[in-house]
Amino acid sequence: MLIVQKYGGTSVANTERIKAVAERVARTAKEGNKVAVVVSAMAGETDKLIGLARKLSSDPNEREMDMLLSSGERVTSALTAIAIEELGHKAMALTGRQMGIITDTVHTKAKIEKISADRAKKALDEGYVVVVAGFQGITEDGSDVTTLGRGGSDLSAVAIASALDADLCEIYTDVDGVYTTDPNIVPDARKLEKISYEEMLELASLGAKVLQTRSVEFAMKYGTPLIVRSSFNDNPGTLVTKEDKDMEKVVVSGVAYDKNQAKITVMGLPDKPGIAARLFKAIADAGIVVDMIVQNVSSDGKATDISFTVPKTDSKKAVKLTEEIAGELGASGVNLGEAIAKISIVGVGMRTHSGVAAQMFETLAKHGINIMMISTSEIKVSCIIDLKYTELAVRVLHDVFKSAEVK
Ligand code: ADP
Ligand code: ASP
Ligand code: MG
């Protein structure tokens, strides 16, 4: 078999952990498999590098940020290759460029356009384990290093698995698999044996960082068989796969939270056609992704309020733009709320069962948690609440829905 194994930051946090990774890789190779490894930077390293840059500039150049941040994965790929060789197995570290990962030119959140995997394939055929630096690529003309967005090594792994036509892509992390909610917040969260790509995609995009959203999107598109498991033990893990009949029996398969959103409210906007279009076009043109939007019905037919959420990292930029437009449109004010969290419940079973949203709202109400915004899709319900209630909300919702299996 050809197996891609991705090891996250905690799995390569120090030389002891890297040795353990090397042992698992060598074992997999000795069992007769070809192995391509993808590594993240050591835990905390990317944040540390960002912190250093911020000490020098409040708005560092993004090309230079990619030069900087890509160094973390380069270190772990070489160290891991050295550790594997020490165990008597041929290994070769490859940067994103050497792996042939071609991306667009959008620094710090580049998209993979193609992978020219010839060099890696040749090395695998010659009996090497290849150890690829995750999270990074190179622009088409080869002139600049790019990175794929936070958590992007998951995407590197899934894309490499697809380019190599791998039989399996294993994501090794610090928890045993995908749980019904973050096991570090809710100790009685349950590990899922399997989860559909669609549910995983919702959970990831709603904040469950165990898999990066784009990696799930990619795996779903190409049908890459994906397993999430721990690098700290040999427990079986969670299979991310196509939806099957059994999955519909569970109404809510996961609870997710996201503390990285900010809420912007524009008050007293004129209630007439074209206003929302004007505001959101300006925000989209600035490359800011808007998540939830709520527009109130105006009580007097003249003025209305619009609230929306954006990633916290873009909130200052979004407020500035919003204030400009609000001024032009004659709105009465703009305010920014950063102490918020988005709490979501996800499950394909919601397609066929009613009353799930009501039960969520009731549960939050019972614990005195006010809902500021609501959004729904076929398989999820999300609420914006006060940041300080995040953990409480996750716990009580998990409690209510954990046994919600419909017979
Ligand atoms: P890595 O460094 O290996 O990429 P991450 O820190 O990115 O690991 O992701 C693993 C973390 O995701 C876990 O430690 C856990 O706290 C968090 N997490 C959030 N939601 C979930 C969930 N539903 N199932 C498992 N882990 C989750
Ligand atoms: N090191 C990068 C990050 O911290 C990429 C990754 O770990 O997947 O975001
Ligand atoms: Mg991660």
Side-chain angles (χ1 to χ4, degrees):
M1 290 222 291
L2 199 168
I3 302 177
V4 173
Q5 296 186 333
K6 179 260 172 178
Y7 293 92
T10 41
S11 305
V12 293
N14 51 47
T15 49
E16 285 312 305
R17 295 299 312 144
I18 291 178
K19 263 191 211 164
V21 165
E23 273 157 22
R24 188 185 295 269
V25 172
R27 190 175 1 122
T28 313
K30 283 189 183 119
E31 283 163 2
N33 301 298
K34 288 183 180 175
V35 191
V37 178
V38 176
V39 286
S40 289
M42 290 180 182
E45 183 62 20
T46 308
D47 287 333
K48 196 174 109 200
L49 294 170
I50 293 173
L52 287 177
R54 291 258 159 83
K55 280 194 172 164
L56 298 169
S57 163
S58 61
D59 186 21
N61 181 299
E62 293 187 328
R63 178 193 178 276
E64 307 314 319
M65 284 309 282
D66 280 351
M67 285 296 286
L68 177 68
L69 299 190
S70 58
S71 68
E73 272 70 10
R74 191 167 175 146
V75 169
T76 44
S77 64
L79 289 176
T80 306
I82 290 169
I84 296 170
E85 291 244 308
E86 192 60 21
L87 297 174
H89 210 286
K90 291 203 288 185
M92 183 191 287
L94 297 174
T95 61
R97 175 204 286 265
Q98 291 167 326
M99 181 64 220
I101 299 178
I102 314 292
T103 72
D104 62 17
T105 57
V106 185
H107 285 292
T108 76
K109 42 188 163 202
K111 288 210 166 63
I112 296 179
E113 288 183 338
K114 63 169 189 255
I115 299 187
S116 313
D118 295 349
R119 180 163 183 190
K121 281 184 186 152
K122 186 162 169 280
L124 287 167
D125 286 342
E126 288 168 357
Y128 285 89
V129 166
V130 297
V131 187
V132 185
F135 180 53
Q136 57 181 266
I138 189 95
T139 53
E140 173 99 64
D141 64 2
S143 58
D144 287 308
V145 177
T146 51
T147 63
L148 309 175
R150 297 306 305 269
S153 298
D154 292 336
L155 176 62
S156 306
V158 174
I160 289 168
S162 158
L164 294 174
D165 206 11
D167 299 288
L168 184 61
C169 180
E170 295 179 311
I171 306 287
Y172 284 93
T173 182
D174 55 3
V175 287
D176 283 2
V178 180
Y179 281 69
T180 46
T181 192
D182 188 341
N184 289 321
I185 289 201
V186 181
D188 71 344
R190 192 168 45 83
K191 188 177 79 186
L192 300 163
E193 198 184 314
K194 56 184 177 178
I195 184 168
S196 69
Y197 288 118
E198 230 183 328
E199 286 169 313
M200 192 62 237
L201 186 60
E202 287 281 11
L203 281 179
S205 65
L206 295 168
K209 69 170 183 164
V210 62
L211 283 175
Q212 187 226 27
T213 308
R214 274 163 58 200
S215 73
V216 184
E217 232 164 35
F218 199 104
M220 178 157 102
K221 189 161 163 199
Y222 296 100
T224 317
L226 207 59
I227 288 181
V228 179
R229 46 189 303 199
S230 171
S231 70
F232 293 75
N233 60 47
D234 285 326
N235 297 344
T238 301
L239 177 68
V240 187
T241 184
K242 288 203 182 78
E243 184 176 331
D244 66 36
K245 275 238 144 22
D246 274 359
M247 291 175 179
E248 283 225 341
K249 284 194 194 147
V250 182
V251 181
V252 172
S253 49
V255 180
Y257 65 95
D258 181 359
K259 298 178 175 181
N260 294 314
Q261 301 258 324
K263 177 165 78 78
I264 296 173
T265 302
V266 195
M267 288 154 302
L269 274 169
D271 191 15
K272 59 180 192 202
I275 297 288
R278 177 91 179 275
L279 174 62
F280 291 110
K281 174 150 194 323
I283 291 185
D285 286 350
I288 299 172
V289 181
V290 173
D291 180 22
M292 286 196 201
I293 301 177
V294 171
Q295 174 172 344
N296 298 337
V297 181
S298 68
S299 49
D300 57 2
K302 285 186 197 129
T304 181
D305 299 345
I306 293 183
S307 291
F308 57 97
T309 61
V310 297
K312 250 184 204 152
T313 44
D314 289 329
S315 63
K316 301 277 177 308
K317 201 156 113 189
V319 165
K320 200 161 159 265
L321 273 172
T322 308
E323 277 171 348
E324 276 166 30
I325 294 173
E328 287 166 26
L329 297 173
S332 57
V334 174
N335 70 42
L336 169 67
E338 293 199 298
I340 60 155
K342 180 167 70 172
I343 305 295
S344 311
I345 56 174
V346 172
V348 288
M350 279 184 216
R351 284 203 200 105
T352 40
H353 300 98
S354 58
V356 182
Q359 201 174 351
M360 177 183 193
F361 305 152
E362 246 171 54
T363 307
L364 293 175
K366 213 168 91 191
H367 291 84
I369 302 172
N370 189 36
I371 300 170
M372 303 179 202
M373 292 169 91
I374 299 170
S375 86
T376 63
S377 82
E378 225 188 345
I379 65 165
K380 72 125 202 270
V381 185
S382 300
C383 296
I384 296 289
I385 61 165
D386 193 317
L387 182 67
K388 68 173 183 261
Y389 295 126
T390 312
E391 280 76 17
L392 174 66
V394 171
R395 259 186 282 122
V396 296
L397 289 173
H398 184 262
D399 239 29
V400 163
F401 288 112
K402 74 179 171 199
S403 56
E405 176 151 344
V406 174
K407 303 283 173 317

